[in-house]
Amino acid sequence: MSSELDDLAAAVRSVIDRRWSPAGLRTAIDSAEGYDRGLWSVLCEQVGVAALAVPEAHDGLGAGVCALQTVAEELGRHLVPSPFLGSAVLATALLADTDEAELLAGLASGARIAAVAFAGDDFAARPIIATDGRLSGTARFVLDGDLADDLLIVAGDELYLVDGAAAARRHTPSMDPTRRFAEVALDGVPARLLRDDARAALDRALDVACAVLAAEQAGAAAQALAVTVEYAGSRVQFGRPIGSFQALKHRMADMFVLVESARSAALAAGEALDRGDEDAALAVATAKAYCSEAFSAVAAEMIQLHGGIGITWEHDAHLYFKRAHSSSQLFGDPAYHLARRELTHS
């Protein structure tokens, strides 16, 4: 971590400390939009989180993947729901090397939100087809798809821009209330062609998104460990804090190893992408697979080591557990990335 990234992390942490709380999390996920628009505005205006991946020529900061990971790690610690991953990372990475100045400037300011809809067997209930500049089909699991001002639709090897208001969109709740998905239905909707190399561009953007998601998972796992250690030091049983029992010490030590290893894997992937390494895809697949499994294991231990309170609705442990499992499936589960790793390595 460079001093600039440390300063970025401190800036994001300062905003979250001032404007966020466990009660705020519950309020956000129960709201119509699923996130705190005020917090998002402050993060964009005061820290510039939405502008990090936007080139400087388009009013952005032109920062690398490691900077995106730094923000994601801080947001992940507190499970902050926001358009960051879907809009500021995935959508922006998909557009960063285009000449869409107006679109990128809107994303850089955070005033507009973009969502990416895949057109493939895994993500489309009805394949999206382009005919004479109009799109038809239905995409599922679109991050923030019902909130986005702009929809980026991948149809075959082409990328199209669709006005969000022109599509039929439906919020689809998942097991994880801190992550928002939607179904996007298109029925002859007018669209503007943005690029004709969408598949290659999408692969690159997904690598960035997976590396950033891995950092988010590492941050959330670190916070789950911190909360568990704090509880183990204050919860007294048999006249002693339960954290003093050797068996629990060992389990928390194992959690610590998982957290630190996950963070190392995530940062290695970000650095590989920023350097343009030939084997960057291998580092990304490794990070996504490892961080998914590490966060799931730490979240499960968090619940176990909290005992009875860990399975109550009032405690946040179940939210970390749900985020862990939803994140492990997002952009491909660990088995998918392990297979991708083996294919890339060979």
Side-chain angles (χ1 to χ4, degrees), residues 132-171:
D132 298 327
R134 292 181 176 272
L135 298 180
S136 296
T138 303
R140 302 177 298 178
F141 314 121
V142 180
L143 266 176
D144 304 315
D146 59 325
L147 304 176
D149 303 290
D150 303 300
L151 295 173
L152 304 180
I153 311 294
V154 180
D157 202 36
E158 297 175 330
L159 178 68
Y160 290 88
L161 173 65
V162 169
D163 184 349
R169 302 179 291 178
R170 179 175 64 89
H171 170 50

Side-chain angles (χ1 to χ4, degrees), residues 168-216:
R169 302 179 291 178
R170 179 175 64 89
H171 170 50
T172 52
S174 69
M175 68 171 291
D176 176 14
T178 68
R179 189 86 74 189
R180 194 174 185 91
F181 297 98
E183 181 179 272
V184 177
L186 308 168
D187 187 9
V189 174
R192 179 166 67 87
L193 179 65
L194 297 179
R195 61 193 308 165
D196 57 8
D197 61 342
R199 281 296 166 184
L202 180 61
D203 287 343
R204 292 193 298 269
L206 283 173
D207 274 347
V208 173
C210 284
V212 173
L213 177 57
E216 180 195 280

Side-chain angles (χ1 to χ4, degrees), residues 266-307:
L267 293 179
E271 290 172 356
L273 288 170
D274 281 342
R275 288 192 303 263
D277 291 355
E278 290 184 2
D279 60 350
L282 176 62
V284 170
T286 301
K288 180 58 171 65
Y290 188 84
C291 292
S292 293
E293 295 185 342
F295 184 20
S296 294
V298 170
E301 284 284 61
M302 178 188 195
I303 290 176
Q304 288 288 321
L305 294 178
H306 272 78

Side-chain angles (χ1 to χ4, degrees), residues 7-55:
D7 290 342
L8 175 60
V12 175
R13 197 179 306 123
S14 175
V15 172
I16 293 174
D17 288 345
R18 285 187 285 110
R19 300 185 60 94
W20 195 247
S21 68
L25 173 59
R26 304 301 180 107
T27 300
I29 62 180
D30 288 338
S31 68
E33 294 181 319
Y35 74 102
D36 186 333
R37 185 177 286 272
L39 174 62
W40 174 246
S41 296
V42 172
L43 286 170
C44 293
E45 294 167 6
Q46 297 185 9
V47 185
V49 299
L52 289 172
V54 177

